[in-house]
Amino acid sequence: MPIVTVQLGQCGNQLGVSWFDSLAAELFSSGNLGTCAADAYFEQHAANAATRSNSTKQWTARAVMVDMEPKVIYSAKQQAVASNHSWCYGKNCAVSGQSGSGNNWALGHNKYGPAVAPAVLELVRKQVEACDVCEGFLLLQSMAGGTGAGAGTYMAEALIDEYSNAHMLNCCIWPFAAGEVTVQPYNTLLSMSALAEVSSGILLMQNEVLHATCTRLLGIKQPSFQDLNAVAARGLAGALLPCKVRPPIPARPSSSPAGGAVTSSRPLSTGSKGRRRQQEVQQHAHAIGKQYTADDMCQVEDAGHMLHMMADLTCHLFSHPR
């Protein structure tokens, strides 16, 4: 079902570009996830509309962009246009001011939040009406700033007041322990306290972990915020996208007891899911006449366990009771 993404503040908008670019790379490049998964995050252009504008940009992100400074939104739109994947932002999907919140949570929550809330809710309403059935909202925001944390928290409260039956997932970027913002501990505490009351689920991504991933696993000596956003977006896409569609494993013919077999000298999982998965692999081996080794079995078992975990997370992430 469609999900409307709300990008809040500088961090939320920069992360949003990487988020939709990662989605587009997975959905449109491989084509293994189907159109239903693409429809959850993108709206497809009509044929004549795509011809009139840009034929390479066939999908529009279901997103609303909010920031108190217009340059961040302009930069995000330009990055989307320059993307190699066939997606872009809508023409009228942004609300911006002329001055930032100055990393002041109270200023963003009590002044700028109420000021821009009517315009933001109007854009959200248009996005919801464009969906067949809106499943909920995904909010991208930071915990340290004034707009993402302060105004973002106010927008989360306003969305729940307006759409009380919708689910809302807040993807929040946890600040560095030694950040440049002096009041970031207070901004984080106030944001978490307010979001815990209204959100269906809060997904925290620590800047330290993202930085360590870039330096230790990817070999980037001095990662930029764009690198951190790319890692965060890939992790978020891995959690929310469905597993790739694979053909079912054929059942073992009853008339042919011979055939392939599984030779195993290593102890495998004895849990119910593990035994069921081993039986499926054994049936597959007999059906195709293949000889599986113990290493093959263990790799299949580990991969199956990971797929079960990701599928459970995908199914329940937007159905967490408030």
Side-chain angles (χ1 to χ4, degrees), residues 68-115:
M68 296 300 103
E69 293 180 332
K71 62 179 182 181
V72 176
I73 294 179
Y74 176 79
S75 176
K77 288 186 175 181
Q78 292 301 313
Q79 293 180 42
V81 171
S83 173
N84 296 326
H85 308 291
S86 56
W87 76 278
C88 63
Y89 286 109
K91 293 183 178 180
N92 301 317
C93 68
V95 175
S96 63
Q98 297 300 324
S99 60
S101 301
N103 298 320
N104 190 321
W105 191 92
L107 184 64
H109 186 271
N110 298 328
K111 181 180 179 180
Y112 291 126

Side-chain angles (χ1 to χ4, degrees), residues 142-270:
S142 171
M143 292 283 93
T147 302
T153 301
Y154 184 90
M155 291 311 308
E157 297 169 344
L159 285 174
I160 289 301
D161 289 341
E162 188 75 14
Y163 305 93
S164 58
N165 294 328
H167 302 292
M168 183 171 62
L169 174 66
N170 294 80
C171 179
C172 303
I173 302 300
W174 197 266
F176 285 103
E180 299 178 355
V181 182
T182 307
V183 294
Q184 70 178 20
Y186 305 102
N187 295 343
T188 303
L189 179 61
L190 293 170
S191 299
M192 291 297 297
S193 176
L195 292 179
E197 298 294 330
V198 298
S199 179
S200 303
I202 301 176
L203 180 61
L204 297 177
M205 294 189 175
Q206 296 178 285
N207 273 330
E208 275 90 355
V209 176
L210 300 176
H211 189 276
T213 302
C214 291
T215 55
R216 299 178 184 177
L217 297 182
L218 302 181
I220 304 175
K221 296 182 179 180
Q222 295 181 347
S224 61
F225 284 112
Q226 186 175 1
D227 297 325
L228 301 183
N229 291 331
V231 173
R234 293 292 296 178
L236 186 60
L240 296 184
L241 283 179
C243 299
K244 293 184 178 181
V245 179
R246 292 174 173 83
I249 298 176
R252 180 180 60 181
S254 57
S255 59
S256 58
V262 177
T263 60
S264 174
S265 59
R266 295 172 52 185
L268 300 176
S269 173
T270 57

Side-chain angles (χ1 to χ4, degrees), residues 40-57:
Y41 303 100
F42 296 93
E43 181 181 4
Q44 190 171 16
H45 293 302
N48 56 353
T51 304
R52 287 198 305 268
S53 57
N54 188 349
S55 59
T56 61
K57 304 293 183 180

Side-chain angles (χ1 to χ4, degrees), residues 22-44:
S22 297
L23 288 177
E26 290 289 338
L27 294 172
F28 307 143
S29 298
S30 62
N32 294 331
L33 298 177
T35 57
C36 293
D39 186 66
Y41 303 100
F42 296 93
E43 181 181 4
Q44 190 171 16

